[in-house]
């Protein structure tokens, strides 16, 4: 895993992105500068008549700069179609289907970018000097078709190379608590992380106060097959229940299973941690990592169930810097004002649709819990019938909820009901990115059942967030727990770049009609 701007990026994903960017750059560069290697007189005249007159060497340079910028834009189209999700990319059907969509998206994005560059007089940036308008369009379309054809072939080769090279970390997990099995499940679900689990090594006898950590069914998580039967780990190393197999140091098991990394996920470390064996493994070059950090790297969230107060106190992250707050506030204001300027016709149309669909005001106001637990008034377009909670009281919305109007169902699916929250963002009670704002009654209930739930209020609630794009709408305590884990991860690693990434993925989620 590579660490980029406080976030972990799987090495295999980084290699794929860089290699495909290079392929697109070369193809676009060769195609875009082909007319300059054996130029005709018309090409010289076109260069002389250009807004910025230049010679052949300068024209070639700007063609390659343009090719790189267009390659990056095309990569956004690939990312938008989720082709860097290895669960999608490993499926030949999904890969082929999404590549077709990516070609069309890349052509549209790059052509619009070149058109805007011409309109805003940015030449020679995003321009192919020496070509006519028709020539530029023809060259770009041909180059992208060729480039994406090569990318499709390269994807197949890339995945085959990874399989042949066994490019993954062979991990041994120490401990058989629920946290250990949840980590194993996450490793299996996130193939791009590059982990292969060689086994889960149970701990020896546990004290009664930690037995609840084992009160779960590993078969429900689909990880029961990973437990190394007949072996347990204790302070003296690996102990065997089989008389024919004597106890042995942990280093022997590591060598036997060809382990590349050890993850410590013991429910109780008191007198159970094989300190000497772990130190010996570490000195032999085998990384030994704590459960918390590995879980974050793989799942992109913080495990609340296994979280210790010392982790929040001593771990890096969770910092609040005045300059970072100022930059975030600037992004909130600029982006919100731009969105209002672009979307006000949509908001007026939504207002009219809500007003005509059912009796009651179009705008809905409700008190929510904000930063530092302070209440604020949230604005939304009304998606339910008036007095929807008169009989039920405060309850979560459910699938096919009869309280939701037909128009409201569309508004929730398209997220249009949340557009008035832009005024909350401008007013400062919310941010564009942050945890979902909850009602006080739900906060009080969830705080009793979920540890650290109130910690999500140390930042402003958001119109969108890390939890919203990674987890679907939920109406249970388990759903709230899962979302809290994503919220804490966002709070720990909050940054300007992280916010931009979440906003990009939110746009993708809305356009692909995912979530609610």
């Amino acid at each position: 895993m590579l660490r980029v701007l406080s976030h972990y990026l799987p090495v295999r994903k980084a290699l794929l992105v860089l290699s495909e960017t290079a392929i697109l750059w070369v193809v676009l560069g060769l195609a875009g500068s082909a007319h300059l290697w054996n130029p005709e007189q018309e090409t010289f005249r076109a260069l002389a008549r250009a807004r910025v007159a230049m010679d052949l060497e300068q024209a070639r340079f700007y063609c390659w700069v343009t090719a790189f910028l267009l390659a990056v834009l095309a990569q956004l189209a690939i990312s938008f179609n989720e082709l860097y999700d290895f669960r999608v990319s490993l499926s030949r059907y999904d890969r082929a289907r999404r590549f077709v969509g990516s070609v069309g998206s890349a052509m549209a994005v790059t052509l619009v970018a070149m058109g805007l560059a011409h309109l805003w007089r940015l030449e020679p940036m995003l321009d192919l000097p020496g070509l006519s308008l028709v020539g530029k369009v023809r060259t770009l379309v041909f180059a992208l078709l060729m480039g994406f054809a090569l990318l499709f072939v390269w994807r197949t080769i890339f995945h085959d190379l990874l399989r042949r090279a066994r490019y993954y970390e062979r991990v041994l997990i120490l401990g058989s608590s629920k946290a250990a099995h949840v980590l194993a499940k996450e490793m299996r679900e996130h193939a791009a992380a590059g982990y292969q689990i060689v086994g889960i090594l149970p701990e020896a006898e546990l004290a009664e106060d930690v037995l609840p950590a084992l009160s779960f069914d590993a078969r429900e998580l689909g990880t029961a097959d990973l437990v190394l039967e007949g072996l347990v780990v204790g302070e003296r190393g690996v102990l065997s229940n089989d008389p024919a197999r004597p106890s042995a140091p942990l280093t022997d098991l590591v060598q036997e299973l060809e382990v590349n990394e050890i993850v410590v996920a013991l429910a109780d470390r008191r007198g159970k941690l094989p300190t000497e064996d772990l130190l010996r493994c570490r000195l032999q070059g085998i990384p030994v990592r704590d459960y918390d950090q590995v879980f974050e790297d793989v799942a992109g969230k913080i495990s609340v169930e296994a979280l210790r107060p010392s982790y929040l106190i001593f771990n890096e992250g969770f910092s609040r810097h005045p300059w970072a707050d100022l930059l975030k506030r600037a992004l909130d204001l600029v982006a919100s004002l731009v969105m209002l300027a672009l979307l006000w016709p949509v908001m007026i149309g939504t207002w009219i649709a809500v007003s005509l669909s059912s009796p009651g005001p179009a705008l809905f106001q409700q008190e929510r819990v904000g930063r530092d637990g302070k209440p604020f008034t949230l604005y939304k377009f009304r998606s339910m019938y008036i007095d929807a909670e008169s009989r039920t009281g405060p309850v979560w919305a459910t699938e096919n909820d009869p309280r939701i109007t037909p128009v409201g169902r569309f508004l929730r699916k398209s997220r249009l009901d949340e557009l008035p929250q832009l005024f909350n963002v401008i007013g400062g009670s919310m941010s564009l990115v942050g945890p979902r704002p909850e009602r006080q009654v739900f906060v009080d209930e969830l705080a009793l059942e979920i540890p650290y739930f109130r910690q999500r209020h140390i930042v402003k609630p958001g119109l969108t967030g890390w939890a919203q794009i990674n987890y679907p709408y939920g109406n249970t305590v388990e759903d709230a727990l899962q979302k809290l884990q994503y919220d804490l991860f966002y709070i720990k690693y909050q940054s300007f770049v992280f916010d931009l990434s979440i906003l990009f993925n939110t746009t993708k989620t809305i356009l692909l009609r995912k979530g609610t």
Side-chain angles (χ1 to χ4, degrees):
M1 304 280 278
L2 297 175
R3 189 165 188 177
V4 182
L5 298 173
S6 299
H7 306 295
Y8 285 91
L9 177 67
V11 174
R12 59 178 62 193
K13 182 178 289 188
L15 289 174
L16 184 58
V17 172
L18 291 174
S19 62
E20 293 191 342
T21 302
I23 291 172
L24 281 175
W25 184 23
V26 170
V27 172
L28 287 166
L30 290 175
S33 63
H35 63 289
L36 300 174
W37 296 106
N38 188 20
E40 300 176 353
Q41 288 301 318
E42 182 58 34
T43 301
F44 286 106
R45 286 193 290 270
L47 293 175
R49 292 195 304 266
R51 284 178 181 167
V52 180
M54 62 187 72
D55 57 27
L56 284 177
E57 287 301 321
Q58 291 174 316
R60 292 190 187 109
F61 171 76
Y62 283 113
C63 281
W64 281 93
V65 171
T66 296
F68 177 75
L69 296 176
L70 294 177
V72 172
L73 289 174
Q75 286 287 58
L76 292 178
I78 295 174
S79 176
F80 195 87
N81 282 277
E82 299 184 319
L83 279 165
Y84 289 120
D85 183 338
F86 272 59
R87 288 169 294 183
V88 173
S89 186
L90 287 169
S91 168
R92 292 184 179 181
Y93 169 75
D94 281 342
R95 186 164 74 234
R97 180 172 59 85
R98 291 177 189 255
F99 254 103
V100 173
S102 297
V103 174
S105 302
M107 286 183 182
V109 170
T110 52
L111 286 171
V112 168
M114 291 186 71
L116 291 175
H118 177 74
L119 184 65
W120 295 337
R121 297 178 177 272
L122 299 178
E123 295 100 331
M125 303 302 294
L126 284 176
D127 188 29
L128 300 176
L131 284 177
S132 65
L133 177 60
V134 174
K136 292 173 186 177
V137 173
R138 185 169 57 233
T139 299
L140 184 57
V141 170
F142 171 77
L144 286 175
L145 288 174
M146 288 296 298
F148 272 83
L150 288 174
L151 291 188
F152 186 79
V153 174
W154 167 242
R155 276 291 173 107
T156 305
I157 297 173
F158 182 84
H159 289 306
D160 186 59
L161 288 174
L162 287 181
R163 284 192 295 269
R164 291 176 181 271
R166 297 175 66 187
Y167 192 76
Y168 43 73
E169 296 291 334
R170 293 175 58 83
V171 177
L172 175 65
I173 300 177
L174 302 187
S176 59
S177 63
K178 182 178 180 180
H181 284 269
V182 169
L183 175 60
K185 177 175 178 288
E186 294 286 350
M187 284 182 169
R188 280 182 162 178
E189 291 180 351
H190 294 80
Y195 289 107
Q196 181 187 41
I197 306 166
V198 300
I200 295 175
L201 187 58
E203 52 261 78
E205 295 182 3
L206 291 169
E208 292 185 2
D209 60 333
V210 296
L211 287 177
L214 301 180
S215 59
F216 71 100
D217 188 351
R219 291 172 296 183
E220 293 181 1
L221 296 173
T223 55
D225 60 304
L226 296 173
V227 178
L228 300 176
E229 299 293 343
L231 298 176
V232 294
V233 63
E235 189 175 14
R236 291 177 296 170
V238 179
L239 310 177
S240 174
N241 296 328
D242 184 0
R245 182 171 184 171
S247 302
L250 180 62
T251 49
D252 291 355
L253 182 64
V254 167
Q255 292 177 358
E256 178 185 339
L257 299 178
E258 300 179 359
V259 173
N260 303 122
E261 185 172 314
I262 299 172
V263 178
V264 179
L266 297 171
D268 181 19
R269 300 184 183 184
R270 295 169 295 182
K272 304 293 187 297
L273 188 68
T275 307
E276 291 187 10
D277 281 0
L278 288 175
L279 180 60
R280 192 175 297 113
C281 289
R282 186 69 187 88
L283 294 176
Q284 290 178 1
I286 306 295
V288 179
R289 302 181 66 194
D290 196 33
Y291 161 85
D292 300 304
Q293 189 59 62
V294 178
F295 187 87
E296 283 185 33
D297 297 350
V298 173
K301 55 186 178 181
I302 293 176
S303 176
V304 172
E305 293 176 300
L307 194 61
R308 302 180 302 275
S310 59
Y311 178 83
L312 294 175
I313 296 171
F314 297 111
N315 208 282
E316 63 178 19
F318 302 106
S319 59
R320 289 168 61 172
H321 195 280
W323 286 107
D325 288 344
L326 182 62
L327 188 60
K328 183 176 178 64
R329 181 60 180 153
L331 174 64
D332 288 344
L333 287 174
V334 172
S336 297
L337 291 172
V338 170
M339 291 173 68
L340 281 175
L342 295 175
L343 297 174
W344 67 265
V346 177
M347 296 178 70
I348 291 176
T350 305
W351 183 295
I352 295 172
V354 173
S355 300
L356 296 177
S357 64
S358 61
L363 199 62
F364 176 72
Q365 302 178 42
Q366 192 175 69
E367 187 177 278
R368 298 289 178 98
V369 180
R371 186 174 184 172
D372 298 326
K374 297 177 181 178
F376 72 97
T377 301
L378 177 138
Y379 301 102
K380 296 179 67 175
F381 283 122
R382 182 173 55 83
S383 59
M384 292 186 176
Y385 293 103
I386 199 72
D387 297 327
E389 293 183 342
S390 58
R391 294 183 179 179
T392 62
V395 292
W396 276 315
T398 59
E399 188 176 359
N400 299 321
D401 197 318
R403 300 174 300 166
I404 301 176
T405 67
V407 170
R409 203 170 303 282
F410 170 77
L411 295 182
R412 283 173 169 255
K413 189 69 177 176
S414 60
R415 311 270 179 105
L416 291 176
D417 63 321
E418 298 182 355
L419 286 179
Q421 291 173 39
L422 291 172
F423 294 105
N424 287 113
V425 175
I426 294 172
S429 56
M430 288 181 64
S431 176
L432 282 176
V433 180
R436 181 187 180 93
E438 292 288 358
R439 299 168 67 176
Q440 186 67 58
V441 61
F442 295 145
V443 170
D444 293 339
E445 291 176 1
L446 293 171
L448 293 175
E449 301 193 47
I450 303 176
Y452 309 106
F453 188 80
R454 294 188 188 275
Q455 304 309 314
R456 67 199 296 275
H457 297 137
I458 66 175
V459 297
K460 290 181 183 179
L463 187 61
T464 184
W466 186 237
Q468 290 91 307
I469 64 173
N470 281 286
Y471 197 85
Y473 177 82
N475 51 18
T476 66
V477 174
E478 176 61 26
D479 292 330
L481 171 62
Q482 292 299 322
K483 288 205 167 191
L484 174 63
Q485 296 182 139
Y486 285 111
D487 287 335
L488 291 178
F489 181 89
Y490 168 74
I491 294 170
K492 178 178 180 180
Y493 294 110
Q494 179 183 350
S495 68
F496 181 75
V497 175
F498 198 7
D499 283 358
L500 291 179
S501 171
I502 291 172
L503 291 174
F504 172 78
N505 281 284
T506 299
T507 304
K508 181 173 69 174
T509 300
I510 293 172
L511 294 181
L512 296 180
R513 302 290 298 275
K514 297 165 68 177
T516 57

